[in-house]
Amino acid sequence: MALSYDGPPQDFRFLLLPKATMLAVAAAIEPLRIANQLTKQTLYTWHTMTENGAPVTCSNGLRITPDQALAPLPSDAFGFVCAGVEPEKTCSPAVLGWLRREHRHGRSLGGICTGAFALARAGLLDGRRFTLHWENQPGFIEAFPSLTPTPNIYELDGRITTCGGGNTAIDMILALIEKQHGANLAIMVADMCIHMRSGSRSPQRAAHSVAIGSRNKALIKAIELMEAELEEPLTNDEMCSRLDISRRQLERLFKRYLGQGPMAFYLELRISRAFTYLNETNMTVAEIAAATGFSNTSHLSRQFRARYGTSPHSFRKAWS
């Protein structure tokens, strides 16, 4: 593809935190390589970094040897924090200091997958539109109650750029390519990735109607209500009153489409959220029990053990 451009290449620096998600890192870098390949020009350069220049182990167990340790960004470079599992535990004071310093110097920064945790801890997300992986959003909101991530696949807001990880990094980078070199190149890069582009306002998750195989409005509203009321779970009667349907109808809908009663489904949602908090936050087990609607840690432990075969304390100790 012929492209009339004789300017300097756009530089990208990817800071890999321990347990970063490799899929998201590769999805961010490959479109840059393909853009160079298609145009036979060096439109983009990229380098990987770790805090001290040592190899980092990703969430899938593979180790990456970086190009360099943390260093000041070139004036026109994009700096992305690439995180994954346990984002609260893998972000060090040195990383936070680097982010704050680069932001003060006017650099463009971003977060990939759960990189928004580091950006938030550095104080860079106030008043910004941003996102992170949907699975980690509940834990993020608990850690940063004044910040609200969007459900979208990526967000471009001034000097802050974020995406939800996985293949959404492709869409984020394609948007940056289009902004700099036009839609035709972005389309061709997407085709080479065999990737159907999605706009920034596309949601990360499929609609409930797709996930459960039903467009029944009452059932979808019931699930949405449960997800919104995990801290203080509603009773069956309260659910029916809010939804303006009978208890018999509610039971029938859940049995038909989900194979279990509404309260059993509700309990699974709460235990799954507790699992997420144990994985992704530094909240105590008591705080997690309160945030997921269990009366005390013993109640949470019994239900958690029944579901996962271990107690919350043992699970966290084994995972750490």
Side-chain angles (χ1 to χ4, degrees):
M1 174 185 176
L3 184 70
S4 178
Y5 179 74
D6 59 1
Q10 173 68 65
D11 190 21
F12 285 79
R13 303 294 171 103
F14 297 96
L15 171 58
L16 309 181
L17 300 186
K19 300 184 180 180
T21 306
M22 184 176 284
L23 171 60
V25 175
I29 294 175
E30 281 301 298
L32 305 176
R33 178 193 67 80
I34 292 170
N36 289 351
Q37 174 187 316
L38 289 173
T39 60
K40 295 181 172 58
Q41 294 179 244
T42 306
L43 300 179
Y44 299 102
T45 57
W46 54 90
H47 300 82
T48 55
M49 301 185 294
T50 60
E51 180 181 335
N52 56 9
V56 66
T57 301
C58 293
S59 59
N60 59 6
L62 295 180
R63 289 169 66 80
I64 293 180
T65 300
D67 298 309
Q68 63 182 92
L70 275 182
L73 293 173
S75 60
D76 61 345
F78 276 93
F80 282 97
V81 180
C82 306
V85 178
E86 298 182 322
E88 280 272 72
K89 298 178 182 178
T90 56
C91 183
S92 69
V95 168
L96 297 179
W98 178 82
L99 285 169
R100 292 175 182 129
R101 183 175 61 252
E102 296 304 316
H103 187 262
R104 286 197 305 271
H105 291 169
R107 306 298 183 247
S108 295
L109 299 170
I112 292 176
C113 194
T114 59
F117 273 89
L119 297 177
R121 192 62 69 193
L124 306 185
L125 295 183
D126 292 345
R128 297 285 189 178
R129 287 185 63 86
F130 68 94
T131 193
L132 68 154
H133 195 286
W134 63 264
E135 182 185 28
N136 306 96
Q137 291 198 10
F140 180 94
I141 293 168
E142 287 287 337
F144 306 99
S146 65
L147 299 175
T148 305
T150 76
N152 302 330
I153 61 173
Y154 68 90
E155 293 288 353
L156 278 60
D157 188 352
R159 291 191 288 123
I160 299 295
T161 303
T162 51
C163 72
N167 285 330
T168 68
I170 298 178
D171 290 290
M172 178 184 70
I173 296 297
L174 288 174
L176 296 176
I177 291 173
E178 180 171 344
K179 185 176 181 180
Q180 186 173 20
H181 295 296
N184 286 342
L185 179 57
I187 291 169
M188 292 182 68
V189 172
D191 286 344
M192 286 291 289
C193 292
I194 315 179
H195 179 76
M196 187 66 68
R197 290 187 71 183
S198 298
S200 64
R201 296 298 182 262
S202 299
Q204 294 183 32
R205 301 180 69 183
H208 285 303
S209 59
V210 175
I212 64 178
S214 170
R215 292 184 179 275
N216 185 281
K217 292 182 179 180
L219 179 60
I220 293 170
K221 286 182 179 179
I223 295 172
E224 291 174 346
L225 184 57
M226 290 176 178
E227 290 181 334
E229 300 288 351
L230 293 182
E231 190 169 342
E232 297 183 7
L234 302 172
T235 66
N236 244 327
D237 291 338
E238 289 171 332
M239 287 280 298
C240 293
S241 177
R242 294 269 198 103
L243 298 168
D244 194 26
I245 61 175
S246 69
R247 182 166 180 168
R248 181 178 179 183
Q249 184 180 1
L250 184 66
E251 293 277 355
R252 180 178 58 80
L253 287 172
F254 273 83
K255 288 287 188 179
R256 177 179 177 184
Y257 292 105
L258 298 171
Q260 59 185 326
M263 291 300 104
F265 180 85
Y266 206 171
L267 179 60
E268 285 196 3
L269 284 180
R270 292 160 55 206
I271 297 172
S272 295
R273 181 66 58 84
F275 180 94
T276 298
Y277 287 155
L278 284 166
N279 253 341
E280 310 297 347
T281 75
N282 293 323
M283 296 168 63
T284 66
V285 174
E287 290 170 336
I288 292 171
T292 51
F294 292 96
S295 55
N296 50 53
T297 56
S298 296
H299 187 198
L300 170 60
S301 294
R302 287 195 302 273
Q303 298 295 343
F304 194 90
R305 184 183 294 276
R307 173 72 179 275
Y308 296 109
T310 187
S311 71
H313 289 95
S314 297
F315 172 82
R316 174 168 275 173
K317 184 176 181 180
W319 186 250
S320 300

